Amino acid sequence: MSVSSEKTGTNEYTLSLSISAEDFEKAVQKAYLQEKNKITVHGFRKGKAPRAMIEKMYGANVFYDTALDIAFPDAYEKAIEEEKLDVVSQPFDFDVKTIGKDGVELTCKVTVKPVIELDGYKGIAAPKASAEVTDGEVDAELNKKLEENAREITVEGRAAQNGDIAVIDFEGFVDGVAFDGGKGEDHDLELGSGSFIPGFEDQIIGHNVGDSFDVNVTFPEKYAEDLAGKEAVFKVTLKGLKAKELPALDDEFAKDVSEFDTLDEYKADLKKNLSESKETKAKKDFENEVFKKLAGLVSAEIPECMIDRTCDNMLSEFKYNVESQGIPFDMYLQYLGMTPDSLKASYRERAEEEVRIELALEKIVELENLEVSEEETEKEFADMAERYKIEVDAVKKAVAADTLVRELKMRKASALVTDNAVAEAAEEKTEEKPKKKAPAKKAAKKKTEEETPVEDAPSAE
């Protein structure tokens, strides 16, 4: 076999390779043995006709296509190894120049991994939020605990007011026609919670138990397509009122909800846990920003096939996580208001960023001459065995050693980047209020494609 390659585009090479007459003859014989049972020759039972007879009847080239399928993969692998091409695509644009008893001459194109230059990966500056916990945050956490342990009491002798839990029946109408999912019975709605669309809860305040009345609202513009921006009337009956009665905030409360004997001890523990949680989040957010900036240091043109493959992996992971929760994937896509193609397209920006980060880390491994010892590899195998509760030999069968070594090198490169990164004070952000929902069991769940939080999709981690 002979081979040559020529760069014919950005990240693209054209391979010219030949398959010898001897190797192609072996492939033709394999093709004959593989195909002969499918061929009918008069005077012979199926599968018993000699090759020469079949070739005489159907032509000398009858097995060439199958033979080429057999011979090409091995020739191709040897060719890219010989030419030292880091290929990231399947071969394409085939052109078979000659094929026959003298062998095969053909060309094909491949996409290769881009060669990048990388500088400035040490000392990347990014914002990092403070992990300091204020007294107000501790008080807010205490209030949540009080709410969680509140008991509900029936309200009598007064009208509904903000903060009450209203027990309602409701049915929604648009242009006098009830819409699907707009009906509920014995629904508990906390007034002032912003759970339903704007204006709904306000119109319950002031009514008494037993009242039936209309609530007039307008659906938001970004809502389910069949309801967005439309005016609706809900027929509502207030069937009951409840209020939350909070427990006293004292040492007894601390004993009831924690392992501590005093409220001061409990508050100190809450503050410690909040601080640890904020530090973990701050570190994760900081590292995410660092890697975003690392991706920005890669200025090379990224082959579309690398981005597309990463999008496919993201889509597969998302589908696996959805279905592992017992939810049919098609049904979940309907809930999101998306198709597989539109969901995949929504991953593109993040996929390109991941590819750039991977290329940067590979370059850092090269520039820093990062190595992994046999002891480190064995330790990782042992840790994986412990983590998955299986034998080490089973792990080694499932995970190739060179794949693990590459992963460990990439981890070292990641650690090098984050260890050398510079944390800057982050700007304080005002916490956004939660989005309001509509008073409809089905319609409330339906979202437009624009609002779909694809980045919040389940992850495999």
Side-chain angles (χ1 to χ4, degrees):
M1 186 191 82
S2 64
V3 60
S4 63
S5 64
E6 178 186 2
K7 187 172 183 179
T8 50
T10 304
N11 304 319
E12 180 186 282
Y13 278 79
T14 295
L15 275 176
S16 300
L17 60 87
S18 63
I19 300 172
S20 68
E22 181 183 358
D23 288 341
F24 191 60
E25 166 57 26
K26 290 178 182 177
V28 171
Q29 180 62 20
K30 286 182 181 179
Y32 159 69
L33 296 174
Q34 183 176 306
E35 299 289 325
K36 65 179 182 177
N37 291 330
K38 304 174 186 177
I39 299 174
T40 301
V41 176
H42 184 68
F44 293 92
R45 288 181 292 127
K46 270 193 175 182
K48 298 300 182 180
R51 173 181 156 189
M53 185 67 70
I54 296 174
E55 290 177 335
K56 182 177 180 180
M57 178 171 290
Y58 291 98
N61 62 350
V62 63
F63 297 116
Y64 284 0
D65 286 347
T66 303
L68 185 56
D69 289 341
I70 292 170
F72 177 76
D74 184 55
Y76 170 73
E77 290 298 326
K78 289 178 181 177
I80 61 175
E81 182 179 350
E82 184 175 323
E83 293 298 297
K84 296 180 173 58
L85 298 178
D86 195 351
V87 176
V88 294
S89 73
Q90 295 295 323
F92 60 96
D93 284 358
F94 285 88
D95 184 9
V96 179
K97 306 292 186 181
T98 61
I99 183 169
K101 63 181 182 179
D102 294 329
V104 182
E105 300 284 340
L106 64 82
T107 64
C108 64
K109 294 180 179 179
V110 292
T111 303
V112 298
K113 188 176 291 186
V115 177
I116 69 168
E117 299 295 327
L118 190 68
D119 193 19
Y121 57 87
K122 292 181 180 179
I124 295 174
K128 183 177 181 182
S130 170
E132 182 182 352
V133 177
T134 65
D135 291 341
E137 288 173 313
V138 175
D139 290 341
E141 190 67 19
L142 278 173
N143 287 333
K144 280 200 288 186
K145 297 296 181 182
L146 287 171
E147 290 278 347
E148 290 171 5
N149 289 274
R151 68 188 186 96
E152 293 180 354
I153 59 173
T154 301
V155 173
E156 296 177 344
R158 67 165 173 81
Q161 61 186 34
N162 200 45
D164 286 344
I165 298 170
V167 184
I168 59 172
D169 289 346
F170 61 85
E171 184 171 15
F173 298 83
V174 172
D175 297 328
V177 179
F179 58 86
D180 185 36
K183 185 176 182 179
E185 295 180 352
D186 296 323
H187 184 87
D188 284 358
L189 172 61
E190 184 178 345
L191 304 181
S193 65
S195 300
F196 281 6
I197 57 177
F200 190 97
E201 295 164 27
D202 294 341
Q203 296 175 60
I204 297 176
I205 293 173
H207 284 284
N208 292 291
V209 174
D211 288 353
S212 294
F213 49 93
D214 290 349
V215 168
N216 298 284
V217 295
T218 301
F219 283 99
E221 290 297 331
K222 285 189 175 182
Y223 196 68
E225 186 176 351
D226 52 344
L227 295 173
K230 293 185 178 180
E231 294 182 354
V233 177
F234 284 86
K235 303 291 184 181
V236 178
T237 298
L238 181 56
K239 299 176 70 175
L241 280 176
K242 297 180 286 187
K244 290 181 180 179
E245 186 175 73
L246 302 181
L249 186 58
D250 54 20
D251 289 346
E252 288 304 314
F253 174 73
K255 290 178 182 178
D256 289 340
V257 300
S258 74
E259 61 191 87
F260 301 102
D261 293 327
T262 68
L263 181 60
D264 286 342
E265 289 176 309
Y266 179 47
K267 288 172 71 172
D269 185 66
L270 282 178
K271 188 170 186 176
K272 172 177 171 290
N273 291 335
L274 284 171
S275 179
E276 290 174 352
S277 178
K278 288 184 73 172
E279 176 58 36
T280 298
K281 184 178 185 306
K283 181 181 178 183
K284 183 177 180 181
D285 291 346
F286 169 68
E287 290 179 350
N288 286 341
E289 288 300 316
V290 168
F291 284 113
K292 279 184 179 181
K293 292 193 174 185
L294 178 66
L297 297 177
V298 178
S299 59
E301 182 178 327
I302 307 301
E304 191 62 33
C305 61
M306 296 182 74
I307 300 171
D308 191 62
R309 183 169 63 245
T310 303
C311 285
D312 283 335
N313 292 339
M314 289 178 171
L315 184 63
S316 296
E317 183 179 338
F318 179 78
K319 181 179 180 182
Y320 171 81
N321 280 281
V322 169
E323 292 181 340
S324 68
Q325 298 173 47
I327 305 171
F329 187 56
D330 290 343
M331 182 185 297
Y332 196 74
L333 286 179
Q334 289 179 2
Y335 160 70
L336 293 178
M338 304 188 82
T339 65
D341 285 343
S342 65
L343 180 58
K344 178 180 173 180
S346 71
Y347 288 132
R348 192 188 186 287
E349 183 177 346
R350 189 149 55 98
E352 181 173 353
E353 184 177 277
E354 285 196 9
V355 172
R356 289 179 178 276
I357 290 170
E358 181 176 3
L359 290 171
L361 293 177
E362 288 177 344
K363 190 65 176 180
I364 292 169
V365 169
E366 175 192 328
L367 293 173
E368 299 288 337
N369 295 313
L370 299 179
E371 296 294 339
V372 174
S373 67
E374 185 177 346
E375 290 76 13
E376 288 174 308
T377 306
E378 289 300 320
K379 182 180 183 304
E380 184 62 23
F381 274 130
D383 289 345
M384 292 173 69
E386 174 64 25
R387 192 157 59 246
Y388 296 109
K389 308 300 180 187
I390 58 177
E391 296 295 326
V392 172
D393 287 344
V395 177
K396 290 183 176 181
K397 287 180 181 179
V399 181
D402 56 348
T403 300
L404 183 59
V405 167
R406 178 184 182 278
E407 171 62 23
L408 293 175
K409 287 181 179 180
M410 297 287 272
R411 287 187 204 172
K412 287 188 175 186
S414 297
L416 186 149
V417 171
T418 55
D419 289 347
N420 286 277
V422 178
E424 299 176 331
E427 293 183 11
E428 292 295 327
K429 293 182 180 180
T430 304
E431 188 173 341
E432 293 182 4
K433 293 182 179 180
K435 292 182 180 179
K436 296 181 179 180
K437 303 176 184 177
K441 293 180 180 176
K442 296 179 183 176
K445 293 182 179 179
K446 191 175 180 182
K447 297 184 178 182
T448 61
E449 188 170 319
E450 289 81 3
E451 353 174 37
T452 304
V454 174
E455 54 275 356
D456 292 335
S459 74
E461 296 179 353

